[in-house]
Amino acid sequence: MQMNTMTCKQLGGACDKEFKANTFEEIAEQSKKHGMEMYQKGDKPHIEAMGKMKDLMQKPDAMKQWFEEKRKEFNTLPDQ
Ligand SMILES: [Zn+2]
């Protein structure tokens, strides 16, 4: 089974924590959860990163484009 790895940073976050998943939806969910945890801990870089993502979410077209770019990135990662 194919497992791809992306870091928090690659997914619009703020650290080098790695997530592993089979699908982009899964990895996006993991990074979101992690982002929320760090946000609740009051981690400043993550709060800033989440602020940027929130801005992005105000623009559905930009958000969609970002999502598609990341999905492409995820799907072209070499098998681990
Ligand atoms: Zn992080």
Side-chain angles (χ1 to χ4, degrees):
M1 207 191 286
Q2 189 181 335
M3 276 283 227
N4 279 339
T5 306
M6 276 179 99
T7 64
C8 177
K9 256 182 200 162
Q10 280 179 296
L11 290 156
C15 71
D16 292 319
K17 185 181 166 65
E18 288 183 343
F19 304 104
K20 286 184 190 354
N22 296 308
T23 65
F24 179 70
E25 280 70 21
E26 254 177 76
I27 213 161
E29 195 53 43
Q30 285 176 24
S31 90
K32 199 171 125 190
K33 244 188 197 169
H34 161 75
M36 295 290 276
E37 271 172 29
M38 297 308 277
Y39 185 88
Q40 273 159 14
K41 281 181 191 165
D43 184 79
K44 227 180 176 182
H46 284 84
I47 290 171
E48 276 168 24
M50 282 190 78
K52 274 183 203 160
M53 288 303 289
K54 262 192 187 156
D55 285 349
L56 197 61
M57 278 178 219
Q58 307 298 313
K59 299 167 236 163
D61 283 352
M63 184 65 207
K64 206 175 152 195
Q65 199 185 348
W66 182 90
F67 216 76
E68 287 310 315
E69 266 168 35
K70 292 298 166 185
R71 188 201 299 277
K72 237 182 255 166
E73 208 177 315
F74 177 81
N75 286 325
T76 53
L77 288 170
D79 292 12
Q80 313 257 326

